[in-house]
Amino acid sequence: MSKRSINNKEQKEQIPIVFAKVGETVTVDNIQSGEHLRHRLAEIGITQGTTLTIIRNQARGPIVVKVKGSNIILGTGMSFKIFVHNVDNEEQ
Amino acid sequence: MEKEYTIALTGNPNSGKSTIFNKITGIRQHIGNYPGVTVEKKEGYYTYKNHNFRFVDLPGIYSLSPYSVEEIVTRDFLINKKPDVVIDIVDSTNLERNLYLATQLIQLKVPLVLVFNMWDMAEKRGFLIDYKFLSTLLGVPIVPTVGIIKRDIDTLLDTICDVVDGKISITPTEINYGDEIEEEIKKLSAIIEKIPLLTSRCPIKWTAIKLLENDVQILNLLEQDSEIKKLLIEQIIKSREHLKKIFGDDPEIAIADKRYGFISGACMKSVTLSVEYRHDISDKIDEILIHKLFGLPIFFLLMWLLFQITFKLGQYPMELLDLGFVKLGAFVSTIVSNDVIRSLLVDGVIGGVGGVLIFLPNILLLFLGIAILEDSGYMARAAFIMDKIMSKIGLQGKSCIPMLIGFGCNIPAIMATRTLENKRNRIITIMAIPFMSCGARLPVYALLIGTFFSKEIAGNVLFSIYLIGVLMGIVTSILFNKFIFKGESPPFIMELPPYRVPTVKGMLIHIWNRAWMYLKKAGTVILAFSVGIWFLCTFPQTTQYSKDYNSLIKESQKVNDAQKVIYYKNQRSLEKLENTFAGKLGHLMIPLLKPIGLGSWKIGVALFAGFSAKEVIVATLGTLYSIGETGSEKEQLKDALQRDSFFSPLVAYVFMIFTLLYIPCLSAVAVIRAELGGWKWAIIAVVYTVSIAWVVSFLTYGIGRLFLYI
């Protein structure tokens, strides 16, 4: 039980999605942006708690994530605004 | 006259919507623009089992929010035009995402029919969809189809007939948003109910939800400062605040979440996955095409191919067309004796029609290439690859393609901005394209560089001209982003569609529509302009010359002095031109051209004539310096320019810069007008490019003189 709580603490470490590696599955913790972008993302299926997989990550450029069955490009700049934590850790 | 039913086609991008539209209507299509916006309006007609249908292909969208023009256009069409049936084309392989739009259509309570397209693909991927059960859950009919199979299309048409005949009743289900949100919906509904203007428009619950989502466009309909409006706004703020506290986020995000929740609930009950589908071919292709290292070279290779196909392959039909028009002009010249009418026909009309048609091979080939890139799914990859670079100047990845095309010809480049979804990006890209030095400007550079610069530095001089163009394109993007379109640029979110093999029919329809649009919308304006320029360069006609050229020419002919004959003939044309409106305009322009070192009426006339097409500048200079423009006469023109003490390498360089930067040609202006739906942006483009040309020329001339005279 105690071990798990430590793990929980670790996985809560939030990173901007730009630092996530290709192939990683991550969960969205929060999106630090204006209302407009948050709504657009919500409509494409990305909100707090959404699990997505990183398909492509061009360093500091745009990224491609797989969410709800399709690959979505998130333009340059957005990858600094979306904070995620790694899900793979959780399973271990 | 029998009743005509309006059928609206909606759906996500890449759901196969256009394929179905093309399959039903064939080439019986009509393309226009929605009033005031740049979104394409596609309509087609089809009669099936004694029913006359008008199909409207609405733009591909993901939602009915007010964020993009496409979404607003679709929404306004559905609400205001009240189509008899609304078809929502859904990609069966991706139900969860595609049904998001459907939930909103269900809520709008339109007569909805869902088409589950690409059914075969879904089966292949192991999806077992109990569409009949899903249909009862959603309360709307569902037709599974494979977009290119005629039998499926007939089933769809039968269903549409049944709906309009009242044989199928559609009772869209209510979506429950959970107690907290439903509570606020009720509060808002209570106020909306009292406003007939709103209740007659669309379902009360729909309006309430949109208001909760802070989608308040509809409030503009209400009278300013009316009591009820104040009451409504007050309630919106109160409800939103309340929900914000509960969900810890904006209500629109909670509502989007609930919609997805509803969809996954419905899918869970009706979709089962028989086998896990693992080998996604698209992902495999992407591993190469958008590879970190290979992606960019592959993109440039494809762009190079597109360029070669468009301009190298297009060259042959263009030359043929050109030759045809020259022959036609010569032929007309021989049969028309009246000078003015002959000139009108040959220089004005035939020249004008030729000027319109000459671009057609380029446009057809370019759009064939673009159709392949777009329909195959590569365009989205190109947008991804170029996004990082283009975002540095405030644009998005996709803007890159039209800009590159601009180096060949600005006309198809401006038309290619149609692939940009966002209007702001489209306008900025269109404003930057004229600075990409097109092929028509090359003859001017060739003449001036060949005359005033040594062979050793010619290449560098030419390169610097192109570079200045690119720099001004970048400056334009930055300026427009900073001062014209303030605020953050719209976020770039886009689906990376699976790769598909484009259909021949789809491409042909695409190209045909594009060519037709160009001829109809831009062609007429181009023709009118060239007749206008012809008029200014022809009238008023000179009756009295300073010398009696006719007898001088006759005398020279008698003594067989061919050179003198040409000399007098040219001298006569020069005098004739100086007396026309264009010539007078050239003189009037001197004060404006002097500060930039181009204060000569001849340059004024050449620049004015260059407005019809930049290569005309060379021909006009030929006339102005009393020399023809073909063959060995080109060498003579170089000599003549060199002899003119007005010209220096610096003046020639400034002249090139001005030629590069001022409005590309009237065809480009006509196309900008056609693409951006009105004269406003066309005029802005003219004023802007001329101003930039002047400023940069002024600076170049000033700095150049500083270096020369120190």
Side-chain angles (χ1 to χ4, degrees):
Chain A
M1 197 68 209
S2 66
K3 200 181 173 192
R4 194 163 172 196
S5 69
I6 292 167
N7 260 343
N8 261 338
K9 217 173 197 177
E10 267 176 11
Q11 64 173 262
K12 279 290 167 206
E13 202 184 321
Q14 298 174 5
I15 51 160
I17 203 165
V18 66
F19 298 122
K21 288 184 197 74
V22 172
E24 263 182 337
T25 301
V26 295
T27 298
V28 177
D29 287 310
N30 69 67
I31 299 164
Q32 292 183 355
S33 76
E35 209 174 295
H36 179 165
L37 175 57
R38 281 221 308 287
H39 190 199
R40 284 281 311 270
L41 288 171
E43 291 203 313
I44 213 91
I46 301 174
T47 50
Q48 193 175 350
T50 307
T51 298
L52 33 87
T53 311
I54 316 290
I55 302 292
R56 281 283 174 281
N57 189 351
Q58 284 200 332
R60 288 159 204 277
I63 56 172
V64 178
V65 297
K66 195 173 219 71
V67 58
K68 294 204 194 299
S70 51
N71 291 347
I72 304 284
I73 305 175
L74 302 175
T76 305
M78 235 176 279
S79 46
F80 287 97
K81 296 173 180 170
I82 300 171
F83 286 78
V84 296
H85 69 260
N86 199 318
V87 186
D88 299 338
N89 288 345
E90 216 163 344
E91 288 164 5
Q92 281 164 12
Chain B
M1 183 77 190
E2 268 180 78
K3 184 174 166 37
E4 185 183 83
Y5 298 101
T6 301
I7 317 295
L9 261 68
T10 70
N12 286 15
N14 309 308
S15 59
K17 190 165 61 68
S18 296
T19 313
I20 289 183
F21 178 72
N22 289 340
K23 186 80 189 169
I24 295 176
T25 63
I27 52 162
R28 291 171 294 268
Q29 296 185 7
H30 174 83
I31 301 214
N33 268 16
Y34 289 96
V37 294
T38 54
V39 179
E40 223 163 63
K41 183 180 190 176
K42 278 198 213 159
E43 292 183 350
Y45 299 87
Y46 190 64
T47 302
Y48 182 79
K49 293 189 179 166
N50 292 324
H51 294 71
N52 295 324
F53 291 124
R54 176 173 75 115
F55 285 90
V56 181
D57 187 16
L58 294 163
I61 51 170
Y62 291 104
S63 167
L64 290 178
S65 311
Y67 290 134
S68 72
V69 208
E70 286 78 7
E71 287 168 342
I72 293 171
V73 161
T74 302
R75 193 158 102 172
D76 288 351
F77 186 88
L78 296 178
I79 291 173
N80 299 330
K81 303 284 191 247
K82 301 227 181 300
D84 296 288
V85 180
V86 177
I87 312 283
D88 179 16
I89 317 256
V90 165
D91 173 359
S92 310
T93 63
N94 196 351
L95 278 187
E96 244 188 307
R97 172 172 319 289
N98 278 253
L99 285 177
Y100 187 82
L101 177 65
T103 57
Q104 296 185 58
L105 294 168
I106 285 168
Q107 218 141 42
L108 196 51
K109 300 231 185 299
V110 290
L112 182 67
V113 173
L114 287 177
V115 169
F116 278 18
N117 198 24
M118 303 186 212
W119 188 259
D120 52 338
M121 292 283 290
E123 279 180 339
K124 238 184 252 168
R125 293 191 178 195
F127 290 111
L128 296 174
I129 304 168
D130 185 351
Y131 71 91
K132 284 180 183 148
F133 181 63
L134 196 54
S135 164
T136 54
L137 277 182
L138 301 176
V140 297
I142 295 176
V143 184
T145 63
V146 177
I148 44 168
I149 292 180
K150 188 168 181 307
R151 191 173 29 116
D152 288 354
I153 298 293
D154 284 347
T155 315
L156 171 61
L157 289 167
D158 284 331
T159 312
I160 295 172
C161 287
D162 286 350
V163 172
V164 296
D165 291 344
K167 285 182 197 157
I168 298 180
S169 67
I170 300 172
T171 44
T173 190
E174 286 293 343
I175 294 166
N176 193 306
Y177 285 92
D179 293 342
E180 296 94 346
I181 296 176
E182 290 288 338
E183 185 83 13
E184 302 309 313
I185 291 174
K186 262 186 211 129
K187 282 184 197 159
L188 280 168
S189 300
I191 304 173
I192 298 166
E193 255 167 28
K194 293 178 198 140
I195 312 172
L197 200 62
L198 297 186
T199 54
S200 64
R201 236 174 96 85
C202 27
I204 295 171
K205 191 171 175 183
W206 160 270
T207 311
I209 292 167
K210 283 289 137 188
L211 291 176
L212 266 187
E213 284 183 300
N214 209 18
D215 181 353
V216 289
Q217 199 193 22
I218 199 170
L219 289 183
N220 296 336
L221 291 175
L222 302 181
E223 213 177 305
Q224 202 101 61
D225 296 329
S226 61
E227 274 309 307
I228 194 95
K229 185 175 178 176
K230 277 185 200 156
L231 197 69
L232 191 56
I233 292 173
E234 223 168 84
Q235 184 59 52
I236 295 170
I237 295 169
K238 239 195 267 171
S239 295
R240 280 179 59 82
E241 282 303 319
H242 179 66
L243 290 177
K244 242 181 233 180
K245 258 181 227 151
I246 294 175
F247 292 105
D249 209 338
D250 296 316
E252 57 265 35
I253 287 156
I255 289 171
D257 258 351
K258 295 278 180 193
R259 285 197 189 112
Y260 272 117
F262 170 81
I263 296 164
S264 64
C267 286
M268 218 151 11
K269 288 177 201 154
S270 52
V271 183
T272 43
L273 198 58
S274 62
V275 274
E276 184 81 33
Y277 183 84
R278 284 193 177 277
H279 304 285
D280 196 324
I281 300 161
S282 284
D283 284 351
K284 285 265 178 285
I285 299 175
D286 271 342
E287 269 172 31
I288 301 162
L289 291 191
I290 55 174
H291 186 271
K292 239 178 203 156
L293 296 173
F294 308 144
L296 211 57
I298 292 173
F299 168 76
F300 280 112
L301 182 73
L302 286 171
M303 284 304 108
W304 180 82
L305 269 176
L306 183 67
F307 211 86
Q308 295 295 320
I309 288 171
T310 306
F311 298 107
K312 278 271 150 64
L313 215 61
Q315 207 183 329
Y316 303 106
M318 274 175 98
E319 275 166 7
L320 272 179
L321 271 173
D322 200 34
L323 193 71
F325 278 100
V326 169
K327 285 249 165 82
L328 184 66
F331 172 70
V332 171
S333 296
T334 57
I335 55 165
V336 181
S337 54
N338 183 302
D339 272 351
V340 177
I341 295 178
R342 186 176 58 212
S343 173
L344 169 67
L345 287 177
V346 175
D347 300 329
V349 177
I350 295 177
V353 173
V356 172
L357 292 181
I358 200 84
F359 293 117
L360 209 52
N362 280 166
I363 289 172
L364 291 174
L365 287 166
L366 172 70
F367 278 97
L368 172 71
I370 287 187
I372 294 172
L373 291 179
E374 187 111 58
D375 294 357
S376 66
Y378 184 75
M379 205 64 117
R381 275 76 187 179
F384 173 76
I385 291 165
M386 292 306 293
D387 193 62
K388 193 174 165 186
I389 299 169
M390 298 304 281
S391 74
K392 291 215 163 63
I393 58 167
L395 287 172
Q396 291 168 358
K398 259 191 169 182
S399 300
C400 186
I401 293 166
M403 285 202 181
L404 286 173
I405 302 295
F407 286 111
C409 175
N410 287 184
I411 317 289
I414 291 164
M415 290 173 77
T417 60
R418 273 190 181 247
T419 54
L420 306 180
E421 286 81 10
N422 176 280
K423 189 174 180 185
R424 169 190 170 132
N425 278 317
R426 219 177 141 197
I427 291 174
I428 297 174
T429 310
I430 286 180
M431 289 297 147
I433 285 173
F435 298 130
M436 306 300 127
S437 190
C438 67
R441 285 168 241 194
L442 201 56
V444 183
Y445 309 149
L447 172 70
L448 292 170
I449 292 177
T451 310
F452 295 101
F453 295 93
S454 71
K455 274 209 173 77
E456 288 75 49
I457 59 163
N460 290 341
V461 174
L462 186 64
F463 183 71
S464 74
I465 297 281
Y466 275 80
L467 198 66
I468 288 171
V470 173
L471 281 177
M472 289 328 289
I474 294 171
V475 168
T476 300
S477 170
I478 293 169
L479 279 181
F480 274 72
N481 263 312
K482 257 221 163 93
F483 297 107
I484 311 286
F485 301 101
K486 284 178 197 143
E488 218 179 318
S489 65
F492 172 51
I493 301 173
M494 187 187 196
E495 196 179 345
L496 215 47
Y499 288 100
R500 269 174 210 142
V501 180
T503 65
V504 174
K505 191 178 180 183
M507 283 195 304
L508 289 181
I509 289 174
H510 190 89
I511 297 165
W512 162 253
N513 284 336
R514 202 54 67 234
W516 180 239
M517 277 281 261
Y518 167 72
L519 290 179
K520 201 176 68 175
K521 286 225 158 168
T524 45
V525 177
I526 295 170
L527 183 59
F529 263 131
S530 26
V531 173
I533 288 187
W534 165 82
F535 178 84
L536 292 174
C537 289
T538 313
F539 292 97
Q541 288 198 304
T542 314
T543 44
Q544 289 254 283
Y545 289 103
S546 63
K547 290 179 200 151
D548 185 1
Y549 287 114
N550 280 349
S551 49
L552 281 169
I553 290 170
K554 262 180 204 149
E555 268 172 41
S556 310
Q557 274 168 340
K558 260 183 216 155
V559 294
N560 267 341
D561 191 343
Q563 281 218 308
K564 268 260 161 75
V565 174
I566 293 171
Y567 173 75
Y568 285 127
K569 274 188 179 167
N570 284 327
Q571 215 44 53
R572 184 175 58 183
S573 339
L574 173 65
E575 214 172 293
K576 207 163 145 186
L577 186 55
E578 188 168 9
N579 277 321
T580 62
F581 291 116
K584 283 169 189 154
L585 208 65
H587 280 286
L588 278 176
M589 277 155 74
I590 290 178
L592 279 172
L593 294 175
K594 208 157 194 167
I596 59 173
L598 302 178
S600 145
W601 76 271
K602 289 180 177 178
I603 290 182
V605 174
L607 288 174
F608 175 74
F611 189 53
S612 64
K614 293 250 163 111
E615 68 264 35
V616 172
I617 291 176
V618 176
T620 312
L621 284 175
T623 309
L624 290 165
Y625 283 91
S626 302
I627 284 147
E629 48 146 338
T630 47
S632 67
E633 284 152 350
K634 212 160 216 164
E635 291 307 312
Q636 288 179 31
L637 178 54
K638 281 184 182 172
D639 288 342
L641 286 174
Q642 242 161 7
R643 276 199 302 274
D644 188 346
S645 61
F646 177 78
F647 271 99
S648 66
L650 178 61
V651 169
Y653 194 70
V654 174
F655 192 18
M656 283 191 279
I657 287 182
F658 200 88
T659 305
L660 159 76
L661 298 175
Y662 88 107
I663 190 67
C665 59
L666 60 90
S667 309
V669 178
V671 172
I672 292 175
R673 177 189 157 264
E675 289 300 317
L676 292 179
W679 283 109
K680 185 182 144 199
W681 285 106
I683 292 168
I684 290 175
V686 172
V687 174
Y688 174 71
T689 50
V690 173
S691 315
I692 287 283
W694 197 91
V695 171
V696 177
S697 301
F698 179 77
L699 291 175
T700 313
Y701 185 59
I703 294 167
R705 281 217 312 186
L706 216 64
F707 276 104
L708 286 180
Y709 295 111
I710 278 174

